[in-house]
Amino acid sequence: MNLEAKIKGEIMTMKRFLLVLLCVAASCAWAKGTPKGLLIMIDGVRSDALFHAATPNLDGLIAGRWAPAYHGAYTGAAGAIPDADPNSAPNHVSILTGVTAARHGVTYNGKTRDGAYDKVPTILSRLSRHRPELSTLFAFEWGEDADIALLEDFPRMQNPDTVNAEKLSRLLGEANAPDLVVWYIDMPDVAGHIRNFYPHSQSYLNAIHLTDQWIGKVLAAIRNRKNFVDEDWLIAITADHGGYHGSHGLKGGHCSTIPIILASKNLPMTGTLPGRPGNVDLPVTMLAHFGASTDDLDGKKIGDDVEKAEQVPLRNGLVARLDFDSPADRPVLSGDKPPEALACGCFVTSLSFRGQENVSSYFEWKDMRLKPPFTLTMWINLPAEQTGDSLIVSDKDWSDGANKGFAITASRKGDGAQVPGIFLNYGLKNRGRVDLGQFDIAPGQWSFLALSVTADGLVHFVNGGIDGRMYVLADSSPEAEFGTSDLPLVFGQDGTCRYLHNFSGILDDIGIWDRALSVNDLRVIFEAGRQGICLAEISSSPR
């Protein structure tokens, strides 16, 4: 055999080998069934509200109980799009296009019709171009969603939420149902504006419960499809924004912390989505499910990495604890009027800070540095008012919020609130700053406060209220300046111990870990504390 014939033979052998690989890959991709998709946006649902509302159908998705062979994945630390205020129109368009406001051009409510849909078409248009034989449907109630241009003449269904739920439950049970449905539900946002978005609003929680019932009816119709076992469904659920009191237009915290739920045969396991994904990631994830290109989109595909929750004993990584119950456990106290031990603490003995105008009261924890990952927990009892934005705890020079380090402030009004609240601040490497909050103060009452930061900068700021509900805010930044300050950790003052305004309040049962506790861990501590069980008792349990 001459050299030319030999080379041709090797090329043909390689082509046959590649063809076999492609066939195997294709058969693996389709082995789980024909791709189908349901993308749901629930308007105005903040993450912590899902925990307190009755949502058995969403819970089933998260727990991987929806259908055989399906896993569930969840995060309560997802975010609204970062380049527009957390309002409906910008986020609705992003959830349909996979790009942020900088590209689609819709930055405010009332501007939906001005979107650059010819340059950034919806995922319905993209899917149709990728596979013209597939059918789609867009269902919604809010009138402005009708201004989202689909370019092609796709079916759309504008009805009240309850009517859409009925129609979709019938339609998705039929053999010729659309292959991809995008469904926007409006009800919780309406309830939040009228009765407040805070999870202590029962009307708001009731609206979320009703939404869960609608979703459950549609999911049951899908699960009862004649050919369901031969289909590969991706169920993806998120929100456009959260809310605080009766509004949601301020970036960060309550208004930007939202949930993401996935249910799919393709998830590696049932568990938690890592990091801080965004609602703009879901349209990209849905397109990838159908094999369509997503290279030019801003969102990213999620669900390939899922973390399984581990039941780690709370004592693991607990490096310090102050309960003030014995003199040996009390730190060195400083200030014009040093804090004093009180026999009537949250558990046994607490530490009372007696600061006021021109009178300081604090203690320095000089040998303690909070470098990620870490967790800080405490119980607090604050007065209704105090001078300025005084500090509960800080390791930074609070003369400028962009300085290195962090600060948790007390009795500061923000986010349009009529009452004082608690804020978290931390500086960024680019001399920027993040202000996360606020949690409303219940004057004269004990409540739980926690800060948990992962090694890669995922922040959970948590407040357990006297109403028994736990409020959770999330943020993420690899640029965060936690643990980089040269100043000591100080309770009742900033790191310089010279800040103008002085802290007045009571602290108890402070705990510090050298790992980031999960929200579920923090919930365990909070619930135990409500029953009078302090950290010493919980952390000694094998759990």
Side-chain angles (χ1 to χ4, degrees), residues 89-106:
N91 284 276
H92 286 207
V93 177
S94 288
I95 294 168
L96 258 177
T97 62
V99 301
T100 57
R103 289 182 60 193
H104 62 59
V106 180

Side-chain angles (χ1 to χ4, degrees), residues 445-469:
Q445 304 287 334
W446 286 101
S447 64
F448 178 68
L449 192 66
L451 170 62
S452 176
V453 183
T454 66
D456 57 358
L458 179 62
V459 177
H460 280 107
F461 190 39
V462 174
N463 173 231
I466 61 170
D467 58 6
R469 297 192 168 101

Side-chain angles (χ1 to χ4, degrees), residues 33 92 102 111 159 167 172 180 192 218 264 287 359 472-473 485 533:
H92 286 207
K111 300 290 186 180
N159 299 293
K167 289 190 173 184
L172 288 175
L180 169 61
V218 171
S264 170
L287 282 176
V359 176
V472 182
L473 307 181
S485 166
I533 303 173

